[in-house]
Structures are given as structure tokens and as C-alpha cells.
Amino acid sequence: MPILVMKFGGTSVATLDRIRRVAKRVGVEVAKGYDVIVIVSAMSGETNKLVGYVEETSPLFDAREYDAVVSSGENVTAGLMALTLQEMDVPARSWQGWQVPLKTTSAHSAARITEIPTDNITQKFAEGMRVAVVAGFQGISPEGRITTLGRGGSDTTAVAFAAAFEAERCDIYTDVDGVYTTDPRICEKARKLDRIAFEEMLELASLGAKVLQTRSVELAMRYKVRLRVLSSFEEQSDEAGTLVCDEEEIMELNVVSGVAHSRDEAKMTLISVADRPGIAAAIFSPLSEAGIHVDMIVQNISEDGRTDMTFSCPVNQVARAEQALEKAKESGSINFHDLVADTGVAKVSVVGIGMRSHTGVAATMFQVLAKEGINIKVITTSEIKISVLIDRKYMELAVQALHDAFELEKAA
Amino acid sequence: MPILVMKFGGTSVATLDRIRRVAKRVGVEVAKGYDVIVIVSAMSGETNKLVGYVEETSPLFDAREYDAVVSSGENVTAGLMALTLQEMDVPARSWQGWQVPLKTTSAHSAARITEIPTDNITQKFAEGMRVAVVAGFQGISPEGRITTLGRGGSDTTAVAFAAAFEAERCDIYTDVDGVYTTDPRICEKARKLDRIAFEEMLELASLGAKVLQTRSVELAMRYKVRLRVLSSFEEQSDEAGTLVCDEEEIMELNVVSGVAHSRDEAKMTLISVADRPGIAAAIFSPLSEAGIHVDMIVQNISEDGRTDMTFSCPVNQVARAEQALEKAKESGSINFHDLVADTGVAKVSVVGIGMRSHTGVAATMFQVLAKEGINIKVITTSEIKISVLIDRKYMELAVQALHDAFELEKAA
């Protein structure tokens, strides 16, 4: 029988009633003829409670014990989901990570999946079991200790199972009903996309769209796992939500698929840096060591052997970035006249696979912003994305104007 | 290094503060030179919450999923205890049942321990670890599923570890400070015993003293594990609590060590039963099938081929017992004139290993009760115990009078 992977996050399994509701959804897929692998998170609030216990007990905790403690929430949900399905006469059982076994590296609290053997669960399907409920977010290290996968771990578990079992699709149930052309809270014309390509989703995820973790999209793209994002709080048809898939599955590619934004950006400029080979490394190595997430980087044309270097980073990392750069200046590894931080900026990006074959997207974007009187401070581009930094107060205006200009309210 | 097993129940680990307090107690034993195996229960209330989830989800639950869910509370405590010890610079790590692995039968929710391999933990001790924190109450079945041990499971886990590791002692920390000659709430002269023999403890446990589960005492007796019962809420010396041990370790055996009582008893009498071979089986088989815990049984002298049969059982099982017996009567397998239930009785017992070599204990007991005007309804005896059923309203009086008569307030 074809296999379907369904993943339910913490809010979707927050109470016994909600578990019953999503179990019905699983029952619908079983009735269609699928063998289903369900990946569950902890009931919402549970993991935070356990993390709180650990942090209060031991501020610099042993990550192996952290993992042993915080993984227990998923085990509870997995057992309860299996029991709920059994009550509905759907043959089901639960698996904890070590029982599969979902093998990972030993990087506790941020482990990476190395292997998911399929024989154990496949045999149970052959014996008539219809649903394998698997505790998400957890695995087992080569040393036999429990590991957790870190942020977005349950989404990643789901995609990895879909890849290992060659599932027809991996449905990620969440609290939104799909991927939108832009944030509906900012632009009321935002339209839900029926399909979006992996590459576009990846850009949107990394640009701040909170629907899917970047890591799970990367994994899905690598193994060509068809991902569907849909709401666990609405009645669903086969066509609900947004399918994240290979671009070959999308008939008519959009030139622009979406407009993303990120509010909490800062722009930092090193004024009059001595320009010499290796200067970029000398600036960005200490920032990397200090854990600063540098995003955009722009270097001015050099004049008289000196240049300006501009970069962006999250606004809450500005103080740390300043500290790291001043320290590098004191040590003599870099030399600059001044360091200027602008903490009132936002990033707005347009993303679309069709850009590869269509010219003029950048020109249109710049014209739209100019017409609205919005000054562009920094520009970066990739094959399928153009991002600009602008004053934060213009962010909503820019998103709305770009959404209109590229006619994103209309289906392709 | 010598090994000590320490077990902490749910109330002893109910909060992070209490976990810190008992971890200090563990630290004291480590400082004395012991390698310590700590067995922990779930934080109090947690297991009940999880059991509630399961019962609400599925009234006739799959015991395998029940076990997977309810065992998670112990895992949380084990991790937190290991972290707390690490914070105190005591090298420690946690083990879940399957990691040891603590092997059990497949009788989910009431599994029996079959084997505890010691190599894994012994090796860690050899590498410098000083405390192995083990989640109590749980194990792994031959099929690789999580099992739980049922009532008193954590006490049983502790004794089994002490046996497997040939521990010097197994300290059971609880909310009372030891085993008393009788219930201090009934008799203010009740005295804490320094030592008590396994057999005596077993009788006291089965007679209603709630300090230790019968099952863990049985296991300790079989493997000669020295058990110490003591309070986790008081500062403790080496001599604190009560040592439950082989009688050879007790210098001067008491003729009577304690007076036990059980309040919620019922006496049932089948009047004028046709007396023939196999009649006892015909009466007690249907009771056993109905799940009735029959305790004392007395058969009157037969007269004209008929006799009376009296037995005791918990008062809340009377209705079910009546139903089972009426059904047996209708089916023709037994025949009696009347069934009389007396639901106002209590059981009082005196227990002592010294009875084996001292005569006159029964005579003294009957004289004491007679002097107080208390009528004895049923008597049963074993090698080290005499039990009587009396009217419930005389229970406290009987306990106090017997405690006085055998001078239990005085140390041997």
C-alpha cells in the first residue's frame, strides 16, 4: 500500500480532544488506502516545562541529560495517539526514536539524522498495522543515548521518514492553512499558493516565513519529498494547503511567487576600511566567532586604498557585533575610521523561480519602491531572489506595493 | 568500591528543591566511598496525570501503549537527578529501563523482572562515574516494547538492582522514618524498630502496614538484600530508619515484633453447606474467578453431612462475592441455606519470629482481648503470626491493649 507521512505539531495535539480530532484526519487517509506514519510533537507547553526544569536544575546542563528529559513529551503524545486510533478501530502502535531506531550523530540537542532502518515498521505494516505513530524530534546516538534534533526537529523527522519510506507525500499539519504570497497580516490581498517549488520555499523560510523550518525544506528538496503544508484546525480536502514540490510538478512557474519580509534587521557600516587582500576575512571571521548571523554584505568601490564595508545582522546582535569589531581593531587585525549602526531597517524580498528566465524583475522592484518614495539602503540578489534593506517604517508599504505590482493576488 | 542502592519515591522528588535535597543525601554516601545506584519514581502527581490521560483516551487501553505513556515520568526525574548531582560535582548519568537493559516478561503493566545485566553500569563505575540514576518502575520486554512493573514497581526495581549488583544495602527513602511496632496514629506508645526480620516485614506488609510493598520484601528475602527504610524528610545518620534483614543479623529476636491491623474487612458465612469432598474448591473457585481476595477461611465441624463455611474479604468486594456465590448456587455447583455478610469487622494480628520458639503468645492474646470484653469471631495462625477478626469498633482498643501486654514500647 502507498505510504503517507503526516506530522502534527504541539498545538495540534495540545489536548486529548485535539488528538482525537487529528486522529480522525489520520483515519480518513487510512480509509483511502494509505499506510500512514504519523509524527507527533509534545503536547504544547510540555517541552517548555521540561526545558524549564533542566535550566533551573543546571544552567550549563549536560546535553545528554537534557535530551533524555525533554524527549519524554513526544513519547506521551505518541502513546496517546496510538490509543486514540485503536479506539477508532484503526490498527496502530507507537514507536519511540530508539525503537525504530532513528539513528543520529552524537551532537546532543542538535543531532543530525544518519539512518532510518525501515524493516521494523514495514514488517508491522505487512502484518496489518495501518498506522505507525512515531515520537518526533528524537533519536539514538551511536553510544545508545537519547538525542534530540533541535529546532524544527519534528518537521525534519517527518521529512526523513518520508524519504526513508519513499512516501507518496509528507503532510505537515500546522496552525496556518498553507503558504501565502506574503504575510496576510500585512497585506490583505495575500493569496494562498496551491504549489510552490522547493527552492522558493527555502528562500521564503530563510527570509522569515515561519511555516516550515529551513532544515526540513532542505531535506525534502534533497530527497524530492513532496511536502504539503495544511491546517489541522479545518476540515481538509485532497487539494487543501500548499504543496511544496519539485519545480517540474508546477505547470506554470510564477515569475514572482511571494514577497517576504524580516522586521528585526540592523545595518552596520565600517567607514574607511583599509582595503587590502584578506580584509573581508579579517572583518567577518571575528563576527562569525562571536556567533553573529551576518546576512547581506556589500563592499563599496575602493578609493585611495580605503573602502566602506556594509553588512546586515539581527538587531539584537548589534552590541555583540560592535564589541567583536572594536576588539579586532584594538588587536590591529583591522583598521577603520568609524562604525555606524542603523537599527531601524527591515528587509523585503521578492522570490520566484521564474526570475531565472525573466528579466526585469529587479527593475520593476526598484521602480515600485522609488514611486513610493522608499530609499533602498542595500541590495542583494540570488538566482531566484532580490532582497533590499529599507527604513523599517516603510516595510508594510513596500510589501503591499510589491504584491500589487507583481499581481500576486491573481493565480498564475 | 562497595555499592549502595538508594530509592526515592514520588513525594521525595516532587519538586526541584526536593530533588536537590535528596541529591545531597546521595552525595553524603558517595563521600563515604560508595558507588551509588539511585532508583527514582516520577515526580508525585505525574504518573496519575498520565494514567488519567490514558484512561480518558481509551477505557480498555492497550497495556503496551499504557506502559509507553506512564513510564515517561520516571525518565524526567532520572535526567533531572543526574543533572542535579553533576551540579554538585558528583559524576552521574541517567539510565532508562531499556538502556540498562532491565529485562522483563511481556506482561505489560504487571511485568516481572527476568534479568538485570550489570556490565554496562559496572563499566561506567570503573571509568569514574559515581552515581547511576535509574528510572524505576520500567523495563523492556523480549519484543523490545517498554513495560512497567505495576504496584510498588520502583521498590521492586531497587531491590532487584541491589541483588544484581550485590549491593551492601538497599535504602528505601520514603515519607515515614521506619517500621513501627504498630500504627502510631492508633497507639501513641508505638516504637520505631531498629531491625526487623524479612519474614516479619512480609507479614506486616501483607497485613496492611503500608511502608513497603510485599513484592519488594519477598524479593529482598529471596536474595538476602538488606533493606533499610528511612525518611527522606529528615537529616539521617547511619543508624536511622529500620533495617529489614535476615533474622541471623538480629541479636535478640522479639517474641512479638508488631501489632498490625486492617480496618476494611468483611466476614461472610455460608450457612449449612452440604459437606462433601471438593466443596471448598466449589466455593472458592468462583470467588477467585470473580477476583475476590479471600483472606481467612474457617470451616466448622460437620454435622449431619452439613457444615458452615466462613471467610473474610475486603469490605468493598462483598457485593461481588455475593453475586458469584448466588450464581454458583443457581448453577447447582454448591448448595447452602443462607449467606450472611458481616461488614463491620476488622483484623488485628500479632507478628513475631520469636513465636516459633515461644509458646503462649496465642493464649496471652486471647486473654488480653477477653479482659477487654472483645469477642473473637475468627482466628487464623501461621508460624509467626496470629490474626483475629473482631468488631471494628474495638480495633483501636485491641491494638493498644496488645501493644501494652507484649511490652512493645520497650526495646528488646
Side-chain angles (χ1 to χ4, degrees), chain B residues 118-245:
Chain B
T118 57
D119 38 333
N120 190 337
I121 288 174
T122 300
Q123 192 196 323
K124 292 289 171 193
F125 278 139
E127 291 169 8
M129 183 193 66
R130 300 301 306 279
V131 182
V133 186
V134 178
F137 179 63
Q138 58 177 253
I140 182 171
S141 74
E143 295 78 27
R145 303 291 299 261
I146 292 169
T147 53
T148 64
L149 306 180
R151 277 224 169 184
S154 289
D155 284 356
T156 306
T157 306
V159 174
F161 267 88
F165 284 83
E166 298 179 352
E168 188 169 302
R169 208 172 60 233
C170 177
D171 286 352
I172 307 281
Y173 283 82
T174 176
D175 48 4
V176 297
D177 65 349
V179 180
Y180 278 74
T181 50
T182 195
D183 186 341
R185 287 167 303 183
I186 287 183
C187 178
E188 60 182 18
K189 292 183 195 162
R191 177 176 57 85
K192 185 173 74 66
L193 294 160
D194 292 331
R195 298 192 171 206
I196 186 168
F198 289 126
E199 289 86 345
E200 292 173 320
M201 189 67 233
L202 208 50
E203 291 285 8
L204 289 174
S206 64
L207 290 170
K210 296 284 187 292
V211 185
L212 283 173
Q213 284 283 337
T214 310
R215 187 174 164 195
S216 57
V217 182
E218 279 172 356
L219 197 63
M221 185 163 80
R222 184 151 17 116
Y223 290 98
K224 294 204 188 289
V225 171
R226 301 166 82 228
L227 267 181
R228 192 166 63 140
V229 177
L230 68 176
S231 167
S232 60
F233 297 99
E234 290 169 22
E235 287 298 315
Q236 296 299 1
S237 70
D238 278 3
E239 298 303 312
T242 299
L243 186 71
V244 188
C245 56

Side-chain angles (χ1 to χ4, degrees), chain A residues 16-30:
Chain A
L16 299 185
D17 271 344
R18 288 195 186 169
I19 291 175
R20 266 190 289 273
R21 188 201 297 209
V22 298
K24 275 185 201 153
R25 208 35 235 148
V26 176
V28 168
E29 301 295 350
V30 168

Side-chain angles (χ1 to χ4, degrees), chain A residues 332-350:
Chain A
S333 65
I334 54 173
N335 174 306
F336 55 85
H337 283 181
D338 204 0
L339 174 57
V340 182
D342 179 354
T343 56
V345 296
K347 183 167 65 173
V348 173
S349 313
V350 298

Side-chain angles (χ1 to χ4, degrees), chain A residues 16 43 46 49-50 53-54 56-59 61-62 65 68-69 72 76 79-80 82-84 86-87 93-94 96 98-99 140 144-146, chain B residues 16 43 46 49-50 53-54 56-59 61-62 65 68-69 72 76 79-80 82-84 86-87 93-94 96 98-99 140 144-146:
Chain A
L16 299 185
M43 294 164 90
E46 282 301 309
K49 185 187 79 178
L50 297 170
Y53 282 164
V54 170
E56 192 182 332
T57 299
S58 178
F61 49 76
D62 177 346
E65 299 299 345
V69 171
S72 73
V76 171
L80 294 176
L83 287 166
T84 307
Q86 290 175 0
E87 279 295 302
R93 75 157 268 202
S94 70
Q96 299 185 4
W98 61 271
Q99 289 176 314
I140 182 170
R145 302 291 300 261
I146 292 169
Chain B
L16 299 185
M43 294 164 89
E46 282 301 309
K49 185 187 79 176
L50 296 171
Y53 282 164
V54 170
E56 192 183 331
T57 299
S58 178
F61 49 77
D62 176 346
E65 300 298 345
V69 171
S72 72
V76 171
L80 293 176
L83 287 167
T84 306
Q86 290 175 359
E87 279 295 300
R93 74 157 269 201
S94 70
Q96 300 186 3
W98 61 271
Q99 289 177 315
I140 182 171
R145 303 291 299 261
I146 292 169

